[in-house]
Structure formats: C-alpha cells, structure tokens
Amino acid sequence: MRKALFTTLLLIAFPLAMQWLGYLFYVSFASRVMIYAIAATSLNLVLGYGGMLSFGHAAFVGAGAYVASILVAEGVASAWIGWPAAVAASAALAWIIGAISLRTRGVYFIMITLAFAQMMFYLVNSMKAYGGDEGLTLPRRAELGLGLDLGNEVVFYYVVLLVLLAALYALHRVVHSRFGRVLIAIRENEARVEALGVPVYRYQLLCFVIAGAAGGLAGALLASHGKYVNPNVLHWLQSGTLMIMVILGGVGHLWGGVIGAAVLLGLEHVIADYPLPWLAQVAPNYQQHASLGVGIVLLVIVLFAPQGIAGLISRKRHA
Amino acid sequence: MRSKVLGALVAAALAAVSTLSAEAADRIKIGFISTLSGPSAALGVDIRDGFQLAVKMAGGKVGGLPAEVLVGDDQFKPEVGRQLAEKNVRLDKVNFLTGMVFSNIMLASVPVAFESKVIYVSPNAAPSPFAGKQCNPYLFVASWPNDAYHEAAGQHATNRGYKNAYLIAPNYQAGKDSLTGFKRFYKGNVAAEVYTQLGQLDYSAELAQVRAAKPDALYIFLPGGMGINFIKQFVAAGLSKDVPLIVPGFGSDQDIIRPVGDAMLGLFDTAHWAPDFDNAANRKFVAAFEKEYKRIPSVFAAQGYDAALLIDAAVRDVKGKVEDVEAVRKAMKAARFESVRGAFKFNRNQMPIQNYYLRVVARDNQGRLVNKTIGTIFKDHGDAYVQECEMK
Amino acid sequence: MSWILILEQSLNGLQFGLMLFLLAAGLTLVFGIMDMINLAHGSLYMLGAFLASTFVQLTGSFLAGVLLAIPATAVLGMLLEVSILRTLYTRDHLSQVLATFALILIINELVRLVWGSDAALPMPAALSGPVELLPGLRYPAYRLVIIGVGLAVALVLYLLVAKTRVGMLVRAGASNREMALAMGVDIKLLFTLVFGAGAALCAVAGSMLAPLLAVQVGMGENILILAFVVIVIGGIGSIRGALVGAVLVGVVDTIGRAFLPILLGAFFQPRVASAAGPALASVMIYLIMAVVLYFRPQGLFPARG
C-alpha cells in the first residue's frame, strides 16, 4: 500500500518537475505511456484474469479511437459526449465479437478474435471519408470544459492519470469481487465450474465486454493525445504489442499492464533517442534494431519467467 | 511500479542534461524524415543524397552556419513519420523540417511542425489541400504542386490526339490529385478510372481489365516500388506492345529505370527538370552527384538539392537569426537561389510557378538510360487551387 | 465481360491460391501434428526469399538459386525447431503465440542486420514475356510457371502423404498423436522432418513470388494471417483442406479486386468503389472463416477422426 502511495505521489509530482525543466515532451510521453497502460490493463483483465486469449484486442482500442476522432472531426468537441460514445461503441463491438467468439474454444477462439479484428482493420482502412490509410488528423483535443484546457500537456497528463488510477482501482475491485473470483475459477478449471451450474459463457462475455469498453476509453484518450488516428491502431501486430506489454509486466498481476507499458515504451524511447557511443562502436546502427532486443526479452520471459516482471518482484519478496 | 519510478528519475536526469546542450543556437538543426526502406526506398534515398550533397558542397553549412541534419526513416508508415516529426520538433527542437516523399505521410506529420511554427520545406509531395483551402504559412514547396506533372501529361495526351485513355493511380490523396490533374487537361474520353491500394505489388487483376478494355493510351501514376512492379508485369503480360503508356516524370525516373531496364526505352513522361538542362547550377549539380554517388540523379535528387539550397538562401538572408520565424519566412518566399531547374519563383500559396517539359527515356552518349528533354508543355504554370488560398 | 477476361482473372486467382497453398500446407501439418501455433511461419517464407536472392546473385542462375534456397531454408527451419520450438510443444497456446511472435521480431531484425531491409530477386529473363494461350490472351509466362510449380508440388505432397510410409506416419500423427506415439513412432524425428518440410514449402513460395512482388522485411506478416484463415477453413491437419481453402481464398480475393469495383462503380465514385472492392473481399474471406468456425469448427476436410 505504501509503495502504491509513494508511486502515486511521484506520478503527481512528475509533470510539474518536467514543466519547470522546460521539457514538456516528457509530460506528453508519460501521458502516452499511461494511456497504453490503461489499454494493457484492460487486456490484462480478459487475458490474465479471464484466461481468454483474445488476439483482437486492438480492435476495441481502435474502435474507441475512431469513434472519438470522428466526433471531433465532425465538430462535436465535447469529451463528455465523445469519450462515453467511444466506450459505448467498443462495448457494443466487444459484445458482438464476444458473443460469437466465446462459443469456440482454444485455438479457434484465438483465430476468430484475430479474424474479427482484421475485418475491422480492413473496414476502417476503406473509409476514405475519414482518411483511410492516411489516417485522420484532428484540429484539437476533445474539450472537457470545467475550465480545464486539455491542450495543456500538464492538464491532459493529470486527466489521464486520474483515468489510469480509476481503472486500476476498478480492476482491483472486480478481481476481489465474487464476479472476479468466479472468473479466476473458470480460468483455472472451466469444466468444474460449469459442472457446478455456473453460466460460464455469461461470465466470460461480461468480462470481455468490460475489457473492451476499457480498451475503447484508452483508444479515445490515445486519439485525443496524438490528435491523430490511423487504421494501423487496429492491426493484429498492435494486438501483439499490447500482449507483449501484459506478459512483460506480469499477466494476471494488478500492475502488470502498467509495468509492461512503461518498460516497453520507455526502453524503446531510450534506445532510439539516446545514443550510447560505446555501444555504437561495437554494434553500429544498433538503434534501428531495438525490436531485436524486445523480441529476445519477450522470448526469454515466455520461456523462463512467464509471470513477467511483476512475477519476478513478488517471487523475490516471497523467497 | 519500481521500474516506473526508475524510469521517471532517469528521464528527469537525462532531460536536465540535454537542456544544457539545447541552448547552442549557433547551429542550424534540420529534421529530415523520409522513406528509406521498403520497395520505394530509392526515392527517399535520392532526396536525402541530393540534400546532403548540397550541404556538403557548402562545407557542411547551411546559410553560413554549421548544419546538423537529423535523418529518420518513416518506413512508409504515416504514424512512424508523425512520431519522428514529434521527436524532431518537440525534443530535438529543429529549425526546419523536410524530406518526406509521400503525401499520406506528409499529411499525417506536418501538422506537428505547423503547430509549433516550424517551417516544413517539401522536397516532393505537395497535396492539393495545401495548395488551396489549407494553405499554410509554414509550408514551402521546393518541388511542384501535386497535380502539375499530371496536368502536363494530360495536355500531352490531348496534343497526341488520344481518344480513349485508361487511368490508374493509388488510392490516396496524391493519387486522387494525379487523375484529377490529368483530366483537367485531357480532352478525350476516359475508358476507366481505377484506384489501386497504396503499396500494392501485384497488378495481375488490373492488367487483365486493361487488356479487356482495349484503350488507346494507358496513364499510370505509380511511384516507387509500385511503378517498378507494374511496368515489369505490364511488359510480362504482353501489353506493352498493344497499349501506349504515358507516365508522369516520377514514374519513369532512375529509380524505376535501374530495375526495369531496357523495357523503358521510348517511354514518354512529363517533369519540371531533366539531367540535361543547360544552366550553370544544374551542370554543377549533375557532375557533383555523379562523382559522389556514381549514379545519375533523378528528379527526386534534384528536388532534395534544391530544397537544401532554398533553406540555405533563407538562413543566409536573415544572417543566421532563425529564431525570428517571420523573417525567415519572408526570406524564403523571396527564394533568392540558383535552382537546378532554372528560374524559381513562388506562387501566393508558396508552391512554385514554373515550366513543365516533355521527356523521353533514351540513351545518353555513354549508352546509359536517361530522361531527355524534347519539348515544353507549359510555361509559368501555377496550380488550379491557389484561388482558394487566403494567404497573401 | 469477355470470356478472355474471366479466364485471365481465374488464372490470376488460381496462381495466388496455389502459392498460398504452399504456405498453408506446411502450417497445417505443424499445427495438426504438433498442435503448435507457429506465428513465425511467415518468417520462414521471408527467409526463403532472401536466401534465394543471395543464391541467385552468387550462382547467376535463377533456377540454381531457388533450388539452393529450398534446402537452406529447410535446414534453418529444422535448427529453429530443435533449439527453441521443441520446448513449446508441451506449453499452452498463449506461450506458443507469444514465443513465436517474439521469433517474428527477432528474425525480422536478424534479416535486417544481414541483408538490409530489402533485397532484389529479378525475374529470369527467359520468363519475363507473355505466352499466347489463346488469340487475344497473352498471359505472363512466369505466372504460368508458378501455377505449374504449385500444381506439381500439390501432386507430390498428395503422393507422399497418401502413398508412402512416411506419409502414413504423418497422417497418423495428425489424426491421433497419442496412438501414433503408442505405436512406437519416433515422434521427435518426425516432428523435425515435418517442420523442415514446411519450411521447404515456404521457401518455394517465397522465392517464386519474390520476382513478382518484392523481397522485404515484414513480407511474412502480410501473408501469414491469410495462411491461418486458409487452414481454419480447410481443416487443421488436412492438406486437401489446405488446397481447397487456399484456392477458395485466392479466387475470392481476385474477384474482390477485379470485379467488385466494377460492380460498385455503377453506384459509387471511383475512389470509393476502388477502396470498397478489396475491403469487401477481405471482409468476405474473414466472414467465411468465422462462419466455418461457428458451424463446423473442425473445418471443411477435418483430419482428426
């Protein structure tokens, strides 16, 4: 608990420090990391706690991003309309996709979620009215009113931080509720839970929808943050990236999504933008091959430390 | 949790360190983002090589000040280009941004520069919205307005008396601009207007349609890797014997000539420049480029070179005081430099007004395949959108 | 709508489908026999193309280059199987997906380090012209060769799997692994060989398609998803299913690209019609897969009894 409080205080102080130093770029970067943390956390719910290998989660993030963007592009700037609309749209999409996909099991479930996500990708790509492949550039971020200017990096950061903390708290409550315990039981031994008469399908569907809705909220924030959205946000490789974050951070651990997003995006940025001269001597152009490091780390984690960073931390504590 | 704390502390420390070096304003920092990988990499590489040649010939300086050119690869992905632009503008704090080949990447990325009042000098793409309603004071185009080559080609098709033209372009803003431009000056009938997917490599389906339609001319706008594949497949399907092909200058330049080879001989195209232009600046450029890079420059290289000269002239005219962006703009608009194309002047929307020529692919006196100028199609040609631009 | 047009588009669809079949055949065997989702299958296709480009440059002959690339890719595939993939057979699907996804990233970057992000593989000059199939239809010779090679490989595979002892072991392993083990089959060797065969097939597809398309890092990812769709439609573990599924996908894709835009052009603007055609074709392919998964999850030609 104390660790969480300390971290939260640091997160609150961070943008003020950055602003004083004159580096608003890092405040913007931190907002982006937190938005991906929200998306990864939503995937963690369905993957880590629900045990459902959804390979199409990017579709929900993308749906939220596009709904929020289209509204702003069409002149509806209020976030109070845009963001709930994004959440509703992703929830509806998750309901449809989940209702069909959850009738299948195992590898077929993976394939069908992937198929649906790709379908969404191609559909969005063909929407020339909203940019198609070029993507959609927005004139401004959504407006919250209340005297808050989301165009201000520091203000936007705090809003995102609030949403992230709320999402983590909600996940915590869900996991420790009866619903959450049933979900975990289903993940451990579905046949037994079914035999007990529990409507497994309904529990899984609800979990899927909640995760999809949270993903949609992350998408809406992402679109506002970058003021740009592009069909690649729905591509299956993006789903893969979200999965990497969850696995890296610790699948099934509360902070798994946050740790994974921070470490992956942080490492990518540091490798790409801060050249280490001694490393460049040994391996010239190493900065363009950051994905190699990511791949190796991921492989190592999958083979040897499947509980991710959070798992390593808690193992040390209990050792 | 711990790693997030660590990450924040590291970032803060690095930021503090970087602020120390950011205040050295006696350098010109230029962000160069281009497509340097993938099937269309040759275009970005040419622009970069032309640009860097100009800087090198000035002793590594732009406008008299030492220059730092930060090169980034957008990998033909708009979101990557945009991220690079954000880094260049917000982290590296560049004075100028330049380099992009493709309109889709440019449309996604340059708003980042404009928001922060950083000037973008386009060495290639100049989509029509930027010529008209969305014209922007921080955009300067060193190449041509998107429609231009296509308008010239349409005029050429009219001059040749073609009556039934089949049109193909990729389905993005520049593709749309290309066929709109062609149709503006082509007075015959359009057999079909087909938009392919951006980055598409297999044209078997489209070629079958062309064969069935039996047009008397085929006009294609397929730059980079798309053009290479299309022309190769066009020849393989036996259509090169039946249907005359017309292309804009970037559909038949060195990047396509090299992989396709002799099948390109006799192909007509339109452009604002050719390597055989007889003015002092161009002779110097072509000789230096061939010496440095051991290959013939394409229009892309010429555009990259001119973009560097344009920036150099502007910085020189404000005597290095690039912090005054309005003064830089004014100096850039005057465009006091010796362009390899000859005379250079800007329109009200900061896109060039210039001549366009008919070229043909032929052999030079060393037996190499090169574009030769054979006539002038338009003189002092602007663009059709400038009326909608509200800049003075 | 002339007969020539329909014939030409059918040939195009067949050509695309047969190449897809080469990829799907290897994938379906690996999936069916070893019960492993291998996302890095597309990377083997990419490796085949890059290796072919190097061998063609070294030997100066297209045929020699391709023939050398096939065993080279098979060897690399088998090395991969023995070292890393073997440990994944007993793991759950999530681990397999993540580990092979990591392999995609690693192999992409290694290729970039060795070759750069692209390579050149030009079409053999002798085949770069057309062949007059019918008066008025001059079809590219190279594509005919592809169709020929695809059909030949399909025939060879059929003979191998249906008529030889090794093939029988493969079929036994696909339909009931435990029983095959109980009968004393050397499962480790069989798996490695099957994986090597799959890699070889990928190399054939990669090196043959390279002159038509392009050799670039990331070329595997684009075609990988389609290969998975094909094997789901066809039936996991079934080569016959892979063939039917691949040709079906190839034809639908070509119809989408060729005829749908014309149909839609009657109602919509050219840009919209041109975009909607391929998008609808893709959606249709995924829809077919979703329908098959829902109503007949074991596929059209299930291998498992």
Side-chain angles (χ1 to χ4, degrees), chain C residues 24-220:
Chain C
L27 195 60
T28 202
L29 283 179
V30 166
F31 207 159
I33 300 177
M34 285 98 100
D35 193 26
M36 185 174 81
I37 305 178
N38 178 21
L39 290 181
H41 198 74
S43 303
L44 292 169
Y45 162 79
M46 173 183 71
L47 274 171
F50 273 94
L51 284 169
S53 121
T54 299
F55 286 132
V56 166
Q57 269 171 25
L58 283 175
T59 62
S61 148
F62 181 77
L63 189 60
V66 172
L67 287 177
L68 282 172
I70 297 174
T73 314
V75 164
L76 279 176
M78 290 194 278
L79 279 173
L80 197 61
E81 194 267 347
V82 166
S83 56
I84 299 177
L85 294 173
R86 198 171 267 193
T87 56
L88 292 171
Y89 294 149
T90 49
R91 302 283 295 269
D92 57 301
H93 285 310
L94 173 61
S95 302
Q96 292 174 353
V97 162
L98 291 166
T100 50
F101 188 81
L103 280 175
I104 294 180
L105 296 177
I106 295 174
I107 297 177
N108 273 353
E109 289 309 314
L110 287 176
V111 166
R112 223 186 283 255
L113 276 169
V114 173
W115 278 279
S117 48
D118 324 90
L121 185 51
M123 206 181 289
L127 295 172
S128 2
V131 163
E132 182 127 19
L133 289 178
L134 292 173
L137 176 55
R138 290 207 293 279
Y139 196 70
Y142 190 72
R143 290 184 195 266
L144 284 174
V145 169
I146 290 187
I147 293 178
V149 167
L151 288 172
V153 171
L155 187 63
V156 166
L157 268 178
Y158 167 70
L159 288 173
L160 262 177
V161 170
K163 306 281 183 206
T164 68
R165 193 157 176 279
V166 173
M168 183 196 68
L169 291 174
V170 164
R171 270 182 295 136
S175 69
N176 196 326
R177 196 179 325 119
E178 285 78 21
M179 191 55 110
L181 257 171
M183 304 286 266
V185 175
D186 182 351
I187 221 73
K188 274 203 182 143
L189 183 61
L190 185 67
F191 283 5
T192 307
L193 287 176
V194 166
F195 200 84
L201 288 170
C202 283
V204 175
S207 52
M208 295 236 66
L209 277 177
L212 272 180
L213 306 177
V215 182
Q216 48 178 314
V217 170
M219 62 193 277

Side-chain angles (χ1 to χ4, degrees), chain A residues 204-310:
Chain A
Q204 287 184 321
L205 184 57
L206 184 55
C207 174
F208 201 78
V209 171
I210 295 175
L217 181 56
L221 290 171
L222 191 63
S224 238
H225 175 257
K227 289 192 289 216
Y228 173 73
V229 71
N230 161 291
N232 280 334
V233 82
L234 293 132
H235 198 266
W236 71 274
L237 289 172
Q238 269 292 93
S239 292
T241 304
L242 287 174
M243 277 189 154
I244 294 179
M245 289 179 185
V246 173
I247 299 302
L248 194 59
V251 60
H253 292 253
L254 185 69
W255 288 85
V258 178
I259 297 177
V263 171
L264 187 65
L265 290 176
L267 265 178
E268 270 179 8
H269 172 66
V270 167
I271 292 179
D273 300 332
Y274 294 99
L276 293 167
W278 58 268
L279 190 52
Q281 289 277 20
V282 174
N285 279 344
Y286 81 92
Q287 290 178 295
Q288 271 130 21
H289 302 289
S291 306
L292 183 58
V294 172
I296 294 177
V297 167
L298 179 63
L299 191 58
V300 164
I301 289 207
V302 171
L303 292 178
F304 303 115
Q307 290 301 307
I309 293 180

Side-chain angles (χ1 to χ4, degrees), chain B residues 250-373:
Chain B
F250 18 70
S252 65
D253 216 310
Q254 292 299 321
D255 64 297
I256 301 190
I257 288 177
R258 274 193 296 270
V260 177
D262 287 353
M264 303 286 288
L265 268 171
L267 189 56
F268 287 103
D269 64 84
T270 55
H272 78 293
W273 173 89
D276 57 4
F277 274 17
D278 197 15
N279 64 65
N282 193 45
R283 283 196 300 270
K284 183 168 154 202
F285 161 65
V286 175
F289 193 92
E290 289 196 28
K291 183 156 173 235
E292 176 84 11
Y293 299 109
K294 315 272 185 290
R295 64 179 194 268
I296 304 174
S298 61
V299 273
F300 304 104
Q303 288 157 199
Y305 186 83
D306 268 353
L309 292 183
L310 178 63
I311 298 179
D312 172 84
V315 174
R316 184 197 63 215
D317 286 352
V318 296
K319 305 207 199 330
K321 292 196 184 37
V322 289
E323 305 80 34
D324 185 353
V325 184
E326 284 312 304
V328 175
R329 280 195 57 236
K330 218 161 149 241
M332 202 171 259
K333 212 163 174 154
R336 274 186 282 267
F337 72 104
E338 302 288 322
S339 164
V340 299
R341 73 196 77 180
F344 186 100
K345 66 173 186 277
F346 276 125
N347 201 341
R348 205 156 51 80
N349 55 15
Q350 294 172 184
M351 299 208 176
I353 296 179
Q354 59 199 352
N355 300 348
Y356 295 93
Y357 305 90
L358 181 65
R359 313 185 312 177
V360 72
V361 178
R363 292 201 190 279
D364 68 0
N365 50 20
Q366 290 173 45
R368 305 177 297 181
L369 287 171
V370 75
N371 276 284
K372 290 200 169 165
T373 317

Side-chain angles (χ1 to χ4, degrees), chain B residues 32-59:
Chain B
F32 188 96
I33 301 172
S34 201
T35 305
L36 300 171
S37 58
S40 304
L43 281 61
V45 166
D46 258 20
I47 297 180
R48 180 199 65 194
D49 287 349
F51 192 91
Q52 288 183 327
L53 181 66
V55 174
K56 183 172 175 202
M57 281 163 73

Side-chain angles (χ1 to χ4, degrees), chain A residues 118-168:
Chain A
Q118 282 299 92
M119 251 195 269
M120 293 298 309
F121 170 76
Y122 283 114
L123 275 174
V124 167
N125 210 351
S126 70
M127 286 194 315
K128 290 298 159 189
Y130 293 114
D133 169 77
E134 278 142 33
L136 189 57
T137 303
L138 302 176
R140 69 171 88 72
R141 289 184 175 163
E143 279 164 22
L144 261 188
L146 303 176
L148 293 171
D149 173 25
L150 285 183
N152 180 316
E153 291 297 350
V154 177
V155 171
F156 190 75
Y157 173 97
Y158 283 127
V159 169
V160 174
L161 178 61
L162 202 64
V163 174
L164 174 62
L165 292 174
L168 285 170

